[in-house]
């Protein structure tokens, strides 16, 4: 991940007085999977469109494979595969015909076209459905056809906008496996999503978007330390027991204890404190019913960051 | 800011794809049958009349296009009504259809410019219209030969070919209008309704309205000013222009498309046909006007499309 193949520097998009994307800077290395995460309307898609040269950049610069998407859109679009949110195909054409149209637009020579389409369809598991009209495809099949298009294009960068949106769990796991296989093939992936738990399993690094700005950026472990103040979260359920919250808070490594209803406790900590927590609960005379380690997931980072004002102050401390 | 590469990259691919879409679409088949059936009805009526009355007419074949047989209107009247309908039918969802199918951003993320997509769509739809109109034209000529038993003269062929070309240009005007609205309005239904509304307004309401406006504007001027003023206003509608071209080209006896002063008629042999060149000259401004209208409307659609955001 030494060489950077996609870079945004101070990327800004304004519509009149409204700033949709506000000085966004990030970069993606070769073979890296980078996630743009955040709520709907946070500016993820607009950022992607600017990187593709499909939307004008108000200020800032973008470089894709060393090219400026605003000035050299054809070169950029030749090497970047894009799958938009809810990707659409021509329903009256078959999967193969749809890919063949794109292949001709890309300028793939007719001698290679057939083979590349067949290979791409096989790669995403659509070999049998290729001859069927896209109108009969399920949502997951359309998404996979979108990935097949990127494979066929032999893209160096795949930009995927909400690839798992609207898919059932099985289909989205399959899709994420395909995305991981892109990484193995040396293709960099930039993907945007608001579905965090599924995405975190594939992303090397993520940027959390909020109101057009990147609020946090880094690996998930880094974000967990930043936001949650510790890399681990432990959930404890314990019936009875005196002054449990104080006892938990006294365990070395625990940063914060939140007490919920029915004897539930949520501990944010720097290390795995389960043995200590169990000992304390039993020592206090409580009935330990549940003890679970919640490795700082994106979901908890995200909720914590966006929903509580406290979190923002904590980040300020941590930073 | 200079752009790399050619704006026409991928144009041929887009044209071929759109053309095959049009030619296989159910919509096109319905429109074709509508045109063919109504045109045949008009033609049949015309042949009935022509056979009865003008056996000595030197422009017998042109009468096939222009003769009305009650209660049916003439072939030309049918065409001037149906051609805009066909053009709007092919163009109203050109751009917003790509939006609603969610294919636009995917296609535009391929290494082509937007120019190729819009221009390709226009060319393909115009080619579709041209193919239908040429078939229809051949059908009329063939049936004329068959049913009248008289071969058409060289000048008649020339005039009817010009008529064919002008009809294609006329279709292009409405196609460009429909594509402009398909870019401006995100909903295909809105674009279709607005296109049809503009068409009805310009075809049915505008010509009499233009006279009314001229009468109000030039109330204190002489009659000629009022007439010419009304005509100038009416000619803002492509339907009026098309009607005038048809009059000049298919009725060789037409000497002027505006008011004529008495002294200009001195020495004229009334009812004698003009040579082909003179008729063409008479209709030339109208033809150029229609081409200009098509180009202007296309450019407006082009500018709107270039400035449009790709995402919904």
């Amino acid at each position: 991940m030494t060489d950077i193949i996609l870079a945004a520097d101070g990327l800004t998009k304004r519509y009149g007085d409204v700033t949709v994307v506000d000085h966004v800077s990030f970069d993606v290395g070769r073979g890296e999977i980078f996630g743009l995460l955040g709520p709907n309307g946070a500016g993820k898609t607009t950022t992607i469109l600017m990187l593709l040269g499909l939307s004008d950049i108000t200020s800032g610069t973008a470089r894709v494979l060393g090219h400026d998407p605003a000035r050299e859109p054809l070169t950029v679009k030749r090497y970047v595969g894009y799958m938009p949110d809810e990707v659409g195909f021509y329903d009256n054409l078959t999967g193969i015909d749809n890919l063949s149209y794109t292949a001709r637009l890309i300028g793939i020579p007719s001698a290679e076209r057939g083979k590349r389409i067949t290979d791409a369809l096989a790669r995403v598991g659509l070999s049998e459905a290729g001859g069927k009209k896209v109108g009969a495809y399920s949502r997951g099949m359309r998404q996979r056809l979108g990935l097949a298009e990127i494979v066929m294009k032999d893209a160096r960068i795949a930009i995927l906008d909400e690839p798992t949106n609207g898919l059932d769990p099985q289909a989205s796991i399959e899709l994420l496996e395909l995305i991981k296989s892109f990484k193995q093939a040396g293709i960099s992936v930039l993907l945007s999503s608001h579905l965090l738990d599924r995405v975190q399993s594939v992303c090397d690094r993520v940027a959390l978007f909020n109101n057009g700005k990147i609020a946090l950026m880094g690996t998930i472990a880094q974000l967990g330390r930043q936001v949650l103040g510790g890399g681990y979260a432990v959930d404890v359920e314990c019936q009875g027991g005196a002054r449990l919250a104080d006892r938990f808070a006294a365990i070395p490594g625990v940063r914060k204890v939140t007490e919920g209803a029915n004897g539930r406790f949520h501990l944010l900590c720097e290390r795995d404190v389960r043995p200590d927590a169990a000992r304390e609960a039993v020592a206090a005379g409580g009935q330990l019913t549940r003890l679970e380690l919640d490795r700082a997931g994106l979901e908890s980072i995200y909720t914590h960051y966006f929903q509580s004002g406290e979190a923002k102050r904590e980040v300020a401390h941590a930073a | 800011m200079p752009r790399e590469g050619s704006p026409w990259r991928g144009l041929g691919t887009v044209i071929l794809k759109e053309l095959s879409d049009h030619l296989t679409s159910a919509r096109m088949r319905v429109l074709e049958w509508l045109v063919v059936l109504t045109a045949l009805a008009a033609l049949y009526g015309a042949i009935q009349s022509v056979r009865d009355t003008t056996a000595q007419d030197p422009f017998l074949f042109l009468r096939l296009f222009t003769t009305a047989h009650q209660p049916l209107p003439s072939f030309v009247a049918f065409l001037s009504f149906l051609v805009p309908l066909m053009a709007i039918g092919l163009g109203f969802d050109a751009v917003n259809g790509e939006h609603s199918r969610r294919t636009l951003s995917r296609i535009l993320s391929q290494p082509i410019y937007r120019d190729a997509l819009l221009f390709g769509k226009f060319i393909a739809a115009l080619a579709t219209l041209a193919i239908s109109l040429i078939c229809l034209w051949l059908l009329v000529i063939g049936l004329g030969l068959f049913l009248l038993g008289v071969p058409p003269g060289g000048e008649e062929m020339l005039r009817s070919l010009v008529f064919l070309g002008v009809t294609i240009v006329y279709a292009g005007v409405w196609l460009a209008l429909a594509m402009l609205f398909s870019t401006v309005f995100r909903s295909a239904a809105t674009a279709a309704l607005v296109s049809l509304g503009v068409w009805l307004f310009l075809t049915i309401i505008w010509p009499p309205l233009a006279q009314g406006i001229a009468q109000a504007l030039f109330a204190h001027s002489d009659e000629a000013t009022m007439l010419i003023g009304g005509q100038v206003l009416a000619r803002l509608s492509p339907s009026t222009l098309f009607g005038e071209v048809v009059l000049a080209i298919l009725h060789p006896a037409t000497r002027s498309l505006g008011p004529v002063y008495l002294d200009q008629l001195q020495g004229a042999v009334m009812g004698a046909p003009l040579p082909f060149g003179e008729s063409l000259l008479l209709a030339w401004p109208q033809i150029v006007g229609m081409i200009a209208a098509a180009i202007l409307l296309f450019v407006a659609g082009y500018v709107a499309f270039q400035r449009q955001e790709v995402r919904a």
Side-chain angles (χ1 to χ4, degrees):
Chain A
M1 260 169 257
T2 43
D3 40 358
I4 286 160
I5 61 167
L6 185 150
D9 186 16
L11 219 50
T12 302
K13 176 80 180 180
R14 274 187 216 99
Y15 295 106
D17 294 338
V18 187
T19 306
V20 186
V21 176
D22 192 0
H23 293 91
V24 162
S25 305
F26 63 91
D27 48 60
V28 181
R30 189 175 303 277
E32 187 182 23
I33 301 185
F34 191 88
L36 299 178
L37 308 176
N40 294 327
K44 298 176 305 233
T45 303
T46 310
T47 306
I48 288 173
L49 291 179
M50 284 193 283
L51 289 172
L52 281 165
L54 290 180
S55 190
D56 289 336
I57 297 169
T58 310
S59 72
T61 56
R63 305 295 286 178
V64 180
L65 296 162
H67 298 282
D68 179 354
R71 280 171 186 274
E72 302 159 277
L74 294 190
T75 313
V76 167
K77 289 194 282 187
R78 175 63 193 85
Y79 295 110
V80 178
Y82 172 52
M83 184 168 83
D85 185 9
E86 291 179 40
V87 60
F89 289 90
Y90 299 103
D91 286 352
N92 55 331
L93 300 180
T94 64
I96 291 175
D97 287 347
N98 265 293
L99 289 191
S100 164
Y101 178 45
T102 322
R104 274 179 279 142
L105 287 179
I106 296 169
I108 297 174
S110 57
E112 287 176 41
R113 226 178 276 150
K115 184 172 167 18
R116 279 170 76 165
I117 291 171
T118 321
D119 290 351
L121 286 173
R123 174 92 175 270
V124 300
L126 282 179
S127 292
E128 282 171 28
K132 285 190 197 139
K133 296 213 163 161
V134 174
Y137 279 27
S138 70
R139 185 71 183 273
M141 288 163 86
R142 279 165 203 258
Q143 302 288 96
R144 278 192 279 159
L145 190 59
L147 290 186
E149 187 177 277
I150 296 173
V151 172
M152 176 194 73
K153 197 174 184 178
D154 202 9
R156 309 248 185 96
I157 307 174
I159 298 186
L160 315 172
D161 199 353
E162 302 278 2
T164 58
N165 202 1
L167 295 185
D168 60 67
Q170 184 57 34
S172 58
I173 287 167
E174 283 170 14
L175 201 77
L176 290 174
E177 284 304 316
L178 279 171
I179 293 171
K180 273 198 234 168
S181 76
F182 279 8
K183 178 191 167 80
Q184 275 139 29
I187 302 171
S188 307
V189 180
L190 177 70
L191 65 87
S192 90
S193 185
H194 65 270
L195 300 170
L196 306 162
D197 49 340
R198 292 197 192 135
V199 164
Q200 69 173 350
S201 60
V202 295
C203 287
D204 295 316
R205 284 192 303 145
V206 297
L208 285 189
F209 267 66
N210 190 27
N211 281 327
K213 291 185 183 127
I214 291 184
L216 294 164
M217 183 161 66
T219 63
I220 290 165
Q222 283 171 349
L223 295 192
R225 268 198 297 283
Q226 254 186 46
V227 174
L228 302 174
Y232 298 89
V234 174
D235 282 321
V236 187
E237 264 182 56
C238 183
Q239 310 301 324
R243 296 177 48 244
L244 269 176
D246 292 342
R247 279 170 173 270
F248 287 146
I251 299 170
V254 172
R255 291 198 145 207
K256 189 165 179 266
V257 178
T258 326
E259 186 167 1
N262 297 328
R264 283 201 191 117
F265 298 89
H266 187 72
L267 318 183
L268 294 178
C269 26
E270 286 156 0
R271 58 187 184 89
D272 185 358
V273 297
R274 279 180 297 177
D276 310 81
R279 208 178 309 118
E280 291 295 328
V282 174
Q287 306 265 328
L288 189 63
T289 49
R290 193 167 82 98
L291 184 62
E292 197 173 14
L293 177 69
D294 177 16
R295 227 175 266 281
L298 262 182
E299 194 83 51
S300 51
I301 295 171
Y302 186 82
T303 355
H304 211 78
Y305 185 80
F306 287 118
Q307 287 178 0
S308 77
E310 275 177 66
K312 283 182 187 161
R313 282 199 293 277
E314 267 185 33
V315 173
H317 288 307
Chain B
M1 185 161 65
R3 300 193 299 187
E4 60 145 354
S6 155
W8 308 126
R9 223 192 103 104
L11 180 67
T13 308
V14 175
I15 292 177
L16 284 179
K17 190 257 173 195
E18 293 292 325
L19 198 59
S20 93
D21 274 4
H22 283 317
L23 293 179
T24 53
S25 72
R27 185 195 304 171
M28 189 62 210
R29 225 160 290 164
V30 169
L31 288 173
E32 266 165 4
W33 277 109
L34 187 72
V35 171
V36 167
L37 289 179
T38 45
L40 284 184
L43 194 64
Y44 177 75
I47 285 173
Q48 295 298 317
S49 302
V50 169
R51 264 207 277 216
D52 292 349
T53 52
T54 44
Q56 301 304 312
D57 197 311
F59 295 103
L60 197 59
F61 254 83
L62 298 185
R63 296 285 168 272
L64 281 183
F65 292 102
T66 53
T67 308
H69 183 72
Q70 290 304 327
L72 289 170
S74 69
F75 179 74
V76 165
F78 260 132
L79 265 197
S80 64
F81 198 74
L82 288 174
V83 160
L85 197 65
M86 272 177 84
I88 291 171
L90 289 183
F92 77 94
D93 66 347
V95 175
N96 49 25
E98 298 276 342
H99 266 294
S100 59
R101 274 177 301 201
R102 298 191 154 271
T103 45
L104 188 64
S105 54
R106 189 176 58 83
I107 293 302
L108 289 181
S109 77
Q110 308 308 332
I112 58 162
Y113 282 114
R114 296 183 187 196
D115 313 45
L117 189 68
L118 192 72
F119 200 52
K121 278 174 175 286
F122 183 78
I123 300 271
L126 196 61
T128 312
L129 288 165
I131 291 170
S132 330
L133 289 173
I134 289 169
C135 290
L136 200 57
W137 183 84
L138 287 172
L139 205 65
V140 170
I141 299 290
L143 277 175
L145 272 173
F146 191 65
L147 294 173
L148 290 177
V150 184
E155 195 185 326
E156 282 178 302
M157 288 308 286
L158 220 53
R159 282 177 186 270
S160 63
L161 272 174
V162 169
F163 167 68
L164 175 66
V166 166
T167 312
I168 294 172
V169 171
Y170 183 58
V173 174
W174 295 109
L175 182 64
L177 182 86
M179 284 184 64
L180 167 64
F181 288 140
S182 91
T183 313
V184 173
F185 299 106
R186 196 45 66 84
S187 142
T190 313
L193 276 177
V194 174
S195 306
L196 291 174
V198 170
W199 164 54
L200 284 175
F201 175 79
L202 286 178
T203 306
I204 296 173
I205 303 174
W206 180 247
L209 193 64
Q211 299 303 326
I213 292 173
Q215 276 167 19
L217 280 180
F218 306 110
H220 304 294
S221 316
D222 56 303
E223 206 169 335
T225 314
M226 201 192 289
L227 257 173
I228 293 169
Q231 211 167 27
V232 166
L233 285 176
R235 281 174 181 163
L236 290 175
S237 157
S239 310
T240 310
L241 295 180
F242 181 67
E244 289 183 353
V245 175
V246 166
L247 196 65
I249 297 292
L250 294 185
H251 293 272
T254 308
R255 312 199 131 239
S256 161
L257 293 172
V260 181
Y261 291 102
L262 268 180
D263 55 329
Q264 289 175 319
L265 281 177
Q266 256 179 8
V269 186
M270 297 302 286
L274 285 186
F276 170 69
E278 298 293 318
S279 288
L280 190 61
L281 211 58
L282 195 61
W284 194 245
Q286 275 76 2
I287 296 174
V288 172
M290 278 203 281
I291 295 173
I295 293 175
L296 276 180
L297 286 168
F298 180 77
V299 166
Y302 176 84
V303 170
F305 186 52
Q306 290 287 344
R307 294 180 169 211
Q308 193 170 51
E309 288 296 330
V310 170
R311 67 185 307 191

